[in-house]
């Protein structure tokens, strides 16, 4: 690879930690309580998508029309269910491989940042003791438009004072790959996103990203 990047921006859910199933369980409980059909396939569409946009996708299957106040209450309820899972997370929920790879990237001179749609980002990073790894955190609390809009990544690049062209985005969601591309970033896909033809690079294992990011110092 000829291009030398200076920053790496990581999505959180599905890349560094595997909270996807907690999201599923929390939405499923809410959907069951409301009598709305919901399954793992619909859950796949929620990857990378904000809480309120996710709710709108779930409500596509509902007969009832909800007011915006009712929708806010539903989203809040889902988040309570979700947070009850998050409070049980520990540093052991991060793979040793992930931790070592992040350390190595720092040693190689890269600026590391988070670019996540989640408003629970800081809570999760604290739970798993990853906060200190990152120079900057851009998340659902500092954006108005969720992925596939590039805002969250553009803010992350701004926070680490690098141009999008000098940053690599790591994502597990189609919405995230699209956001990266729209923001002028190169993208590296893991998990589900490896099926996305739009991704610039693909990896099966987290540590493979080291192959694309040689030492800068
Ligand atoms: C993303 C998840 O990281 O965060 C989505 O992939 C989720 O599934 C979104 O809806 C928002 O999360 P939160 O924690 O703000 O409800
Ligand atoms: Mg994700």
């Amino acid at each position: 690879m000829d291009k030398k990047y200076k920053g790496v921006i990581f999505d959180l859910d599905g890349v560094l930690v595997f909270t996807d199933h907690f999201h599923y369980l929390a939405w499923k409980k809410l959907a069951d309580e409301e009598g709305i059909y919901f399954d793992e396939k619909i859950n796949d569409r929620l990857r990378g998508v904000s809480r309120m946009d996710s709710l709108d996708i779930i409500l596509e299957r509902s007969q009832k029309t909800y007011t915006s106040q009712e929708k806010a209450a539903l989203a809040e309820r889902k988040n309570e269910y979700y947070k009850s899972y998050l409070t049980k997370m520990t540093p052991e929920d991060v793979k040793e491989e992930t931790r070592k790879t992040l350390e190595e990237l720092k040693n190689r001179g890269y600026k590391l940042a988070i670019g996540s749609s989640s408003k629970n980002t800081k809570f999760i990073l604290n739970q798993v003791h990853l906060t200190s790894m990152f120079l900057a955190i851009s998340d659902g609390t500092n954006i108005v438009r969720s992925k596939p809009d590039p805002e969250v990544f553009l803010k992350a690049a701004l926070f680490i004072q690098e141009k999008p062209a000098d940053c690599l985005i790591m994502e597990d969601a189609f919405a995230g790959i699209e956001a990266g591309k729209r923001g002028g970033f190169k993208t590296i896909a893991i998990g589900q996103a490896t099926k996305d033809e739009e991704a610039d690079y693909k990896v099966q294992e987290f540590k493979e990203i080291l192959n694309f990011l040689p030492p800068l110092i």
Side-chain angles (χ1 to χ4, degrees):
M1 179 187 286
D2 306 323
K3 167 78 191 161
K4 281 256 171 111
Y5 297 98
K6 296 178 185 162
V8 191
I9 303 171
F10 295 90
D11 172 50
L12 176 66
D13 296 310
V15 172
L16 302 176
V17 288
F18 298 91
T19 46
D20 321 41
H21 193 59
F22 299 153
H23 276 297
Y24 170 73
L25 293 173
W27 283 125
K28 178 73 180 150
K29 183 167 158 64
L30 184 84
D32 285 352
E33 286 167 354
E34 293 297 309
I36 303 166
Y37 179 78
F38 181 64
D39 62 17
E40 300 256 14
K41 201 157 172 266
I42 302 173
N43 192 57
D44 268 347
R45 289 173 60 202
L46 312 183
R47 222 177 279 276
V49 175
S50 75
R51 197 181 306 165
M52 290 313 286
D53 290 348
S54 298
L55 180 64
D56 282 335
I57 291 173
I58 287 164
L59 295 184
E60 286 171 7
R61 295 281 192 134
S62 170
Q63 315 296 330
K64 187 179 156 187
T65 314
Y66 291 86
T67 65
S68 48
Q69 268 166 327
E70 285 169 334
K71 288 211 269 187
L74 289 179
E76 182 57 33
R77 211 159 98 209
K78 180 268 175 175
N79 198 48
E80 288 308 311
Y81 301 152
Y82 179 56
K83 282 195 86 170
S84 69
Y85 294 108
L86 297 185
T87 52
K88 291 182 205 122
M89 289 185 85
T90 71
E92 284 175 17
D93 286 303
V94 175
K95 288 185 196 162
E96 192 59 21
E97 175 196 345
T98 304
R99 227 176 261 282
K100 283 195 175 146
T101 305
L102 292 173
E103 298 261 7
E104 177 60 22
L105 287 173
K106 269 177 90 171
N107 292 339
R108 289 185 180 190
Y110 290 93
K111 292 182 181 176
L112 309 186
I114 294 283
S116 166
S117 307
S118 173
K119 292 186 173 164
N120 291 298
T121 296
K122 295 181 188 84
F123 184 79
I124 295 170
L125 290 173
N126 280 333
Q127 284 294 112
V128 300
H129 296 182
L130 270 187
T131 310
S132 63
M133 285 289 177
F134 301 96
L135 195 60
I137 296 168
S138 173
D139 66 16
T141 64
N142 61 252
I143 53 167
V144 286
R145 292 173 303 276
S146 174
K147 299 170 191 175
D149 189 283
E151 186 181 7
V152 76
F153 293 139
L154 291 173
K155 291 261 167 69
L158 203 68
F159 293 163
I160 60 171
Q161 297 182 314
E162 294 295 348
K163 294 196 282 286
D166 291 328
C167 299
L168 192 60
I169 302 277
M170 188 171 199
E171 260 293 348
D172 73 310
F174 280 60
I177 297 292
E178 186 183 335
K181 275 215 113 67
R182 278 166 58 179
F185 299 87
K186 290 280 188 236
T187 58
I188 185 158
I190 191 163
Q192 288 272 333
T194 55
K195 294 182 204 142
D196 191 340
E197 292 308 314
E198 295 298 313
D200 295 291
Y201 315 107
K202 295 176 183 184
V203 293
Q204 298 305 318
E205 306 273 343
F206 190 83
K207 62 174 183 268
E208 289 171 48
I209 61 170
L210 293 172
N211 301 336
F212 303 101
L213 299 161
L216 295 177
I217 47 178

